Amino acid sequence: MDGKRTWVATFSAVLLILLSHETSALEVPLDPKVLEGLPQPPTITLQSPKDYIFDPRENIVIHCEAKGKPHPGFSWTRNGTHFDVESDSKVLMKPGSGTLVIDISGGKAEAYEGTYQCIVHNEHGTALSNKVVIRQSRSPLWTKERNEVIQVQTGDFLVLHCRPPAGLPPPDIVWMDSNFQRLPLDSRVSQALNGDLYFSNVLPEDSRPDYICYARFPHTQTIQQKQPISVTVLNNSPRGEHRPSFMTPLGATSTKMALRGETLVLECIAEGLPTPNITWQKDGGELPTGRKKFHNFQKMLQIHDVTEADAGDYRCKATNSLGVAQHVIKVTVKAAPFWIGAPRNLILAPNETGILTCRVGGEPKPKINWFVNGVSIDNAPKDRSRKVDDDTVILSHVQSGSSAVYQCNASNEFGYLLANAFVSVLAEPPRVLTPPNRVYQVITNNPALLHCASFGSPIPTITWFKDMQISIKNGDHYVIHENGTLEIHVAQPLNSGKYTCIATNNLGIRENHVYLEVKEPTRILTPPEYKVVQRGMSASFECKVKHDPSLVPTMSWLKDNEELPDDERFVVGEDRLTIKDVTDEDQGTYTCNTNTTLDQDSASAMLTVVGKPDPPTGLELTDQMERSVQLSWTPGDEHNSPTQKFLIQYEDLLHQPGVWLNLTEVEGSITKAQLNLSPYIYYSFRVFAVNQVGYSEPSQPSSQYRTNPAAPDENPTNVQGIGKTAENLVISWTPLTGFQSNGPGLVYKVQWRQKDVDEDWSSESVANVSHFVVSGIPTYVPYEIKVQALNDYGNGPEPEVMIGYSGEDLPLSGPDNVQVIVHNSTLAEVHWEPVPPSSVRGKLLGYKVYYQRERGLHEAEGEAMKEEHTLTFSGNRSDGRLPGLRPYSLYNLSIRALNSKGEGPTSQTKTFETLEGVPGPPSFLNVINPTLDSLTLKWGPPKENNGRLIGYTLTYQPVNTTSVLGPLQTKNFLANETTIILENLNSSMLYEFHLTAKTIKGSGPARVEEAVTVMDTIRPQPTAEAGKGNQRLPMEVPACNNIGY
């Protein structure tokens, strides 16, 4: 078995490593039953730092805690010799530990200064703590001194020395005045690392009698004050501008040594006028990014966590307008000993071999010394199984009872490292510490780790089986780790089942069973989607999840990665989040999280809240002209919906106060508008912003802007002249608004004259009206009319001349020479001679034709009901058609002229006759007296003969419900015949009959009937009465001369 097995610093953790075969499980505690009865060399678990500065007002506490089995004992050395704790009543060692508590009250604390070391031992070995240097903190007083007044010329440099007393630890320095106010520091005045105050150049205002350096000692919380320094700045021989030079460090170069891992601090302070600026660079390299910081106005460079690569030449430059000064600081990096690999505890079985290594770095190279049980290995009893080779101790074929604690001490001039590592020799059969029948659950396609924590010495070998049959080997799908854990890289459902691990060494064998369940993953099938919602509306996010049936998911929602607000507007459903009455604050990213005990999934979507824009603000009127002004404004919040346009309204405070009217619109990207104005208006403006959601509230009104009066720019519109009676003319117009009036005293000059007559214009001026009546004029004659606007400041433009007519009267005469042309049985054409224009006495709208059917020509006079009709023919017509007349009828007709006043006298009445047409269907058709081979038909004449009736035509044939069964038979009858007996018919047969009436124009539509002959059977059959039995309802079909199927 390989003897190169290493272990961690505590025995429990060592045993755990032995059980798990990997150091990552150190934090898992061992089963106490395993530890019971096992030996454990001492292990130090807590100790004080190497440098301990104590406050004389408090007790000294030096920690030393350890464990082992049996429980270890403790002893101390001070300054290299045994420290008898029990002989000093002021020193107490805590029970069960080695921690010392030294009561220094009422005594000399400095008596306990020195170097202390804790020794921990039991029957299996001895461990050593670090050497702890104990020193008392000190805050000495300032030495008395007398400070003379310092005089310095304006523009010169100055250094005020602090020289604080040496304290332990060193004090913090601050410069203040006599009122305990900190002196301001800047690029000109700065405090150096040693506490001195540097002035790159002095100014007259630097004169003061109270420059005081204060030293604060942190451990004792005391402050010491230097005597005030008085500075007087003279101006009798001021120093002018000059190039920079360094006040510290001096010379062209200096050196600095830094220790690895500590902080390198470099300082350059220069004088000069103007005040120099300081910059830094590293020759042949870059300043380390992420670890450098500048302080004290660039005069101090700090590099944290120094490495060997930070050695080199650092150049600081002081620059002003007159020149540059440079100083190079040569930095070397040394290193106190540091661990590369500290020795680790070993647990070995008898006859195994182990190696302790003590790998350290440092500059200069540290010296390594080995100890065993606190004694230099050179002075320890000889052991042939042990071989020391510089930083390595090899232990070969160890035997029971050879347990010990080894110490590695690595030191150089900058410090030392001390590490304890025990070697414990044990012989133990295997034990499996993983609880039996443990169930592991994983999600498909994820790794599965099945543990087999074991203990034994020698270390047990672990083997795995699945379902007690399949031996598992390291391969593509499986890995058996050193600690015995079985890893399945990508678990699948087929990997579910029972697994057995077996732990074996030369002292025995143990097995343990565990179970693996591979579950389906939890996935969001329907993630939330991006929403744009208007303020006040509701937003809803859906989140539907698929999961393994054996797992119970829980769903939660986040807003911007934080919990949802505690607000009843947020309603969380089974698979949905609804936000009611959305506000601007609800905008953000919403995340749906679904979790099971094994996995989780999440999805996010953005909610954008849009709203109407806020109203514009800051309305301002500029570029004020007689007829224009520029309006500008500041847009309000768009609420995530870009402004599409701005609507500008105005209020006329003079003519229509309180009424806002639209003036103009501008694009949403424009925030000003040039407005065209009208005279004599007291303007106030407001602006609306418009986006896709709607209109904003109006802005606050602008300041009032008044325009001066002027003559009208326009005349009334919609000027008309219409006579209301036969002897007048009403001239009307649409008045100007107050906005259009342009000034006070608005009146309308109404002018008229008869058209095509050589006469002057008549006129009348009126105010506050919209019409004017001209009376006593001829009937329906044309007039030229015009209406002009005037006010106190002048006339409007020359008005346009319009044509109007005086009033109309009824026409005086009817049409002459009325003629009628009959085209067919239902259409006639009428002609007439139009009335003279002079008799119309108005605008001729057309002619109205009155016509009336007196009777049919086959009817006696007074026998028929008269039918009156009218037709109007628009315009100046002289003919028209009369459709829809009844055939073979007598009509009379008259015509009247028509204007807007009404109808004129009737024309002479004209009589005409329409031609014959085809008749209507017979009024009825009945089938009676059916026998085996005959049927009797009776019918009535048509209700409308439409001419002289000359007879009837009957067609018939046998049929069934879907087809024709026999030839078509035809019979003709005279007009006075209304019955027929059809013989030689087939028995039990359905017949269909078509009967039409005829005039000289042809046959009319048919009357249709069906009937059945009597069945040929002994059993008597019911007779078919007319219109009953198998008869169908009568039908009308179009007339035809030859009917066939």
Side-chain angles (χ1 to χ4, degrees):
M1 182 177 293
D2 184 4
K4 294 185 178 180
R5 286 177 287 183
T6 55
W7 309 95
V8 294
T10 66
F11 187 64
S12 294
V14 169
L15 292 178
L16 177 62
I17 288 178
L18 187 59
L19 295 171
S20 63
H21 298 240
E22 65 180 35
T23 58
S24 61
L26 290 177
E27 68 277 5
V28 180
L30 275 177
D31 187 338
K33 293 181 181 179
V34 176
L35 290 175
E36 186 177 347
L38 295 179
Q40 181 182 356
T43 301
I44 295 175
T45 58
L46 177 65
Q47 57 183 319
S48 293
K50 295 178 182 178
D51 195 9
Y52 183 174
I53 299 175
F54 66 88
D55 187 338
R57 297 169 298 179
E58 299 177 354
N59 289 340
I60 301 172
V61 180
I62 312 174
H63 293 286
C64 182
E65 305 286 342
K67 65 180 180 178
K69 193 171 185 69
H71 191 72
F74 300 88
S75 62
W76 286 87
T77 64
R78 184 173 71 177
N79 299 326
T81 62
H82 176 70
F83 179 40
D84 189 355
V85 175
E86 295 182 355
S87 65
D88 192 332
S89 62
K90 290 188 173 292
V91 180
L92 171 68
M93 184 184 296
K94 288 186 177 180
S97 80
T99 298
L100 296 182
V101 179
I102 303 174
D103 181 5
I104 57 175
S105 61
K108 293 184 177 181
E110 60 269 17
Y112 292 98
E113 292 183 323
T115 301
Y116 291 75
Q117 187 172 34
C118 179
I119 302 171
V120 185
H121 52 85
N122 68 9
E123 62 187 64
H124 302 295
T126 300
L128 301 179
S129 74
N130 289 324
K131 293 180 179 179
V132 182
V133 179
I134 305 295
R135 293 182 294 170
Q136 178 183 342
S137 63
R138 290 177 173 83
S139 53
L141 297 174
W142 233 295
T143 58
K144 291 186 177 182
E145 58 183 353
R146 182 177 181 182
N147 294 325
E148 301 291 339
V149 176
I150 298 175
Q151 294 184 339
V152 62
Q153 291 290 338
T154 300
D156 210 346
F157 71 90
L158 174 64
V159 180
L160 300 183
H161 297 289
C162 180
R163 299 189 184 97
L168 187 67
D172 299 324
I173 304 301
V174 62
W175 286 84
M176 292 190 287
D177 60 17
S178 56
N179 294 321
F180 294 98
Q181 298 297 312
R182 282 178 177 264
L183 297 178
L185 302 179
D186 53 26
S187 59
R188 185 179 66 87
V189 182
S190 56
Q191 179 180 311
L193 291 172
N194 65 359
D196 291 347
L197 193 63
Y198 284 78
F199 294 76
S200 295
N201 52 77
V202 295
L203 301 175
E205 54 264 31
D206 293 329
S207 293
R208 63 186 309 146
D210 56 350
Y211 284 94
I212 305 173
C213 180
Y214 289 87
R216 186 181 70 87
F217 296 90
H219 272 59
T220 60
Q221 297 297 312
T222 58
I223 298 177
Q224 302 290 347
Q225 172 185 336
K226 184 181 177 72
Q227 289 295 319
I229 302 174
S230 178
V231 175
T232 301
V233 179
L234 305 176
N235 204 24
N236 53 4
S237 182
R239 186 178 180 187
E241 292 186 350
H242 54 280
R243 59 185 297 133
S245 64
F246 284 101
M247 295 185 283
T248 183
L250 299 174
T253 62
S254 59
T255 60
K256 182 78 172 181
M257 190 273 288
L259 288 178
R260 179 184 184 272
E262 297 186 354
T263 299
L264 170 65
V265 181
L266 304 179
E267 182 179 53
C268 282
I269 302 177
E271 61 93 7
L273 186 65
T275 301
N277 293 321
I278 305 297
T279 59
W280 293 86
Q281 69 182 57
K282 183 181 181 185
D283 292 350
E286 298 290 335
L287 296 177
T289 57
R291 293 189 293 119
K292 71 174 186 299
K293 289 185 178 179
F294 296 102
H295 299 281
N296 200 14
F297 307 96
Q298 297 285 110
K299 299 173 187 180
M300 182 190 302
L301 169 63
Q302 280 188 344
I303 298 177
H304 300 279
D305 195 17
V306 169
T307 68
E308 289 80 355
D310 295 324
D313 293 346
Y314 289 78
R315 187 179 302 272
C316 59
K317 292 183 179 181
T319 307
N320 68 9
S321 58
L322 298 179
V324 178
Q326 300 188 47
H327 182 89
V328 175
I329 305 175
K330 296 181 177 295
V331 175
T332 58
V333 177
K334 302 293 183 179
F338 59 89
W339 289 118
I340 297 174
R344 295 191 289 180
N345 299 330
L346 291 179
I347 295 180
L348 301 176
N351 294 315
E352 286 187 333
T353 296
I355 297 177
L356 296 173
T357 58
C358 183
R359 307 289 172 111
V360 294
E363 178 59 37
K365 182 179 179 180
K367 180 181 178 182
I368 295 177
N369 292 305
W370 285 96
F371 297 80
V372 58
N373 293 329
V375 177
S376 172
I377 205 163
D378 295 332
N379 299 326
K382 298 297 181 182
D383 186 346
R384 293 183 178 181
S385 67
R386 180 173 63 220
K387 180 182 179 182
V388 179
D389 184 7
D390 190 24
D391 61 357
T392 303
V393 175
I394 302 173
L395 304 171
S396 304
H397 306 291
V398 296
Q399 300 300 316
S400 298
S402 60
S403 298
V405 181
Y406 287 78
Q407 289 85 33
C408 170
N409 184 294
S411 61
N412 66 12
E413 61 187 278
F414 300 110
Y416 75 94
L417 293 174
L418 176 66
N420 292 279
F422 67 69
V423 176
S424 182
V425 181
L426 295 175
E428 289 289 328
R431 304 184 197 181
V432 177
L433 302 180
T434 298
N437 300 315
R438 173 175 286 181
V439 177
Y440 294 92
Q441 296 180 330
V442 297
I443 296 297
T444 300
N445 295 324
N446 282 305
L449 295 174
L450 309 183
H451 297 300
C452 185
S454 64
F455 169 73
S457 183
I459 297 175
T461 299
I462 303 298
T463 55
W464 282 90
F465 293 86
K466 183 177 187 297
D467 298 327
M468 295 299 293
Q469 296 177 351
I470 303 171
S471 177
I472 297 175
K473 305 294 183 183
N474 276 320
D476 293 338
H477 302 293
Y478 298 96
V479 172
I480 301 177
H481 293 277
E482 286 188 12
N483 65 353
T485 296
L486 172 64
E487 178 177 359
I488 304 173
H489 289 309
V490 182
Q492 300 297 323
L494 58 85
N495 296 127
S496 298
K498 178 181 178 181
Y499 289 79
T500 302
C501 79
I502 299 177
T504 307
N505 70 9
N506 58 1
L507 299 177
I509 183 170
R510 287 293 178 91
E511 70 176 34
N512 191 48
H513 306 294
V514 296
Y515 297 87
L516 175 63
E517 296 177 357
V518 182
K519 307 290 188 180
E520 289 297 318
T522 302
R523 292 290 178 264
I524 294 176
L525 298 181
T526 306
E529 297 180 345
Y530 174 69
K531 300 285 185 182
V532 177
V533 177
Q534 185 176 339
R535 277 183 296 177
M537 306 298 286
S538 292
S540 182
F541 291 107
E542 188 177 27
C543 186
K544 291 189 176 179
V545 178
K546 177 188 177 192
H547 60 90
D548 191 279
S550 66
L551 300 177
V552 180
T554 59
M555 182 178 293
S556 61
W557 289 86
L558 300 176
K559 178 182 181 291
D560 297 330
N561 294 322
E562 296 182 357
E563 291 186 1
L564 292 179
D566 185 13
D567 190 329
E568 62 182 8
R569 296 182 302 108
F570 289 79
V571 180
V572 177
E574 180 180 354
D575 55 8
R576 185 177 302 274
L577 169 64
T578 301
I579 308 170
K580 300 178 180 179
D581 192 19
V582 168
T583 67
D584 290 338
E585 290 72 25
D586 298 331
Q587 180 167 300
T589 299
Y590 289 83
T591 301
C592 164
N593 286 325
T594 180
N595 294 273
T596 67
T597 55
L598 298 181
D599 67 342
Q600 66 89 32
D601 196 10
S602 64
S604 300
M606 179 74 181
L607 172 63
T608 298
V609 180
V610 298
K612 298 177 182 178
D614 287 345
T617 58
L619 272 63
E620 184 178 5
L621 297 173
T622 57
D623 298 343
Q624 299 178 1
M625 308 292 287
E626 191 71 22
R627 291 290 188 101
S628 69
V629 70
Q630 179 172 281
L631 175 65
S632 59
W633 59 89
T634 301
D637 192 336
E638 295 180 320
H639 295 292
N640 297 316
S641 180
T643 302
Q644 298 171 333
K645 64 180 180 180
F646 292 99
L647 170 65
I648 302 171
Q649 292 185 333
Y650 73 93
E651 177 189 19
D652 183 355
L653 297 168
L654 177 62
H655 303 100
Q656 290 181 292
V659 178
W660 290 90
L661 302 173
N662 293 344
L663 181 59
T664 188
E665 294 179 350
V666 298
E667 294 181 4
S669 59
I670 299 174
T671 58
K672 61 182 178 181
Q674 195 72 25
L675 306 179
N676 295 322
L677 308 179
S678 295
Y680 196 48
I681 303 294
Y682 293 178
Y683 282 101
S684 184
F685 303 100
R686 69 182 185 184
V687 183
F688 291 83
V690 186
N691 64 11
Q692 192 171 7
V693 180
Y695 284 77
S696 71
E697 294 296 318
S699 69
Q700 291 296 316
S702 70
S703 58
Q704 190 180 115
Y705 185 67
R706 300 185 178 187
T707 54
N708 295 323
D713 292 326
E714 53 188 312
N715 289 313
T717 56
N718 298 324
V719 176
Q720 298 181 24
I722 300 174
K724 300 297 183 181
T725 67
E727 296 180 347
N728 78 1
L729 172 66
V730 179
I731 302 173
S732 64
W733 59 90
T734 300
L736 299 183
T737 65
F739 180 83
Q740 297 169 313
S741 66
N742 286 9
L746 178 67
V747 297
Y748 301 104
K749 183 179 180 181
V750 184
Q751 301 178 75
W752 69 93
R753 68 180 179 186
Q754 189 172 342
K755 188 175 183 298
D756 300 328
V757 176
D758 187 14
E759 62 181 24
D760 294 333
W761 289 91
S762 300
S763 68
E764 190 74 33
S765 292
V766 294
N768 300 320
V769 296
S770 60
H771 68 276
F772 178 76
V773 179
V774 181
S775 302
I777 56 176
T779 302
Y780 198 68
V781 294
Y783 277 84
E784 293 178 321
I785 55 178
K786 56 184 179 179
V787 180
Q788 185 179 28
L790 299 80
N791 65 17
D792 294 346
Y793 289 83
N795 297 347
E798 181 62 27
E800 181 183 359
V801 176
M802 309 298 291
I803 302 298
Y805 283 83
S806 56
E808 299 184 39
D809 206 345
L810 294 175
L812 292 175
S813 61
D816 292 331
N817 196 18
V818 178
Q819 301 292 330
V820 178
I821 301 174
V822 178
H823 290 287
N824 54 42
S825 61
T826 59
L827 176 65
E829 185 176 330
V830 59
H831 293 259
W832 64 87
E833 185 176 316
V835 296
S838 59
S839 70
V840 177
R841 297 204 295 178
K843 182 177 181 180
L844 179 65
L845 300 180
Y847 293 88
K848 195 168 186 179
V849 177
Y850 292 83
Y851 60 100
Q852 176 177 283
R853 181 178 185 271
E854 296 292 333
R855 60 180 175 82
L857 294 177
H858 63 286
E859 297 173 321
E861 191 167 340
E863 183 177 325
M865 183 178 295
K866 296 183 178 181
E867 301 174 4
E868 293 186 353
H869 302 276
T870 60
L871 275 178
T872 300
F873 299 96
S874 300
N876 190 14
R877 296 278 296 274
S878 61
D879 60 78
R881 287 176 171 256
L882 307 177
L885 303 177
R886 293 179 61 178
Y888 202 53
S889 299
L890 176 66
Y891 283 88
N892 61 48
L893 174 148
S894 63
I895 306 174
R896 295 185 179 188
L898 183 66
N899 66 14
S900 59
K901 203 69 175 178
E903 300 175 9
T906 185
S907 68
Q908 183 180 0
T909 300
K910 187 71 175 180
T911 301
F912 65 94
E913 296 177 356
T914 57
L915 302 178
E916 289 189 60
V918 296
S923 57
F924 67 89
L925 172 61
N926 293 333
V927 182
I928 60 176
N929 302 326
T931 67
L932 288 174
D933 60 356
S934 68
L935 291 169
T936 300
L937 275 66
K938 294 186 66 175
W939 62 88
K943 293 182 180 179
E944 296 178 352
N945 287 355
N946 293 340
R948 293 182 291 273
L949 196 64
I950 62 174
Y952 299 92
T953 298
L954 174 68
T955 60
Y956 62 96
Q957 62 189 142
V959 298
N960 62 16
T961 56
T962 60
S963 60
V964 175
L965 301 180
L968 184 67
Q969 303 292 326
T970 302
K971 291 183 179 293
N972 292 306
F973 306 97
L974 297 176
N976 58 357
E977 293 183 276
T978 59
T979 185
I980 181 66
I981 299 174
L982 299 177
E983 297 178 333
N984 301 319
L985 302 178
N986 296 327
S987 64
S988 303
M989 182 64 69
L990 174 66
Y991 283 88
E992 184 176 88
F993 302 96
H994 291 249
L995 180 66
T996 61
K998 294 187 292 184
T999 65
I1000 59 174
K1001 291 294 184 179
S1003 297
R1007 177 73 64 179
V1008 180
E1009 191 66 59
E1010 289 183 349
V1012 181
T1013 55
V1014 175
M1015 295 180 65
D1016 186 7
T1017 178
I1018 297 175
R1019 185 183 302 171
Q1021 299 295 321
T1023 59
E1025 298 182 8
K1028 296 183 179 180
N1030 292 326
Q1031 297 180 19
R1032 297 182 183 179
L1033 292 177
M1035 296 168 41
E1036 292 187 6
V1037 299
C1040 58
N1041 293 326
N1042 295 302
I1043 300 176
Y1045 292 87

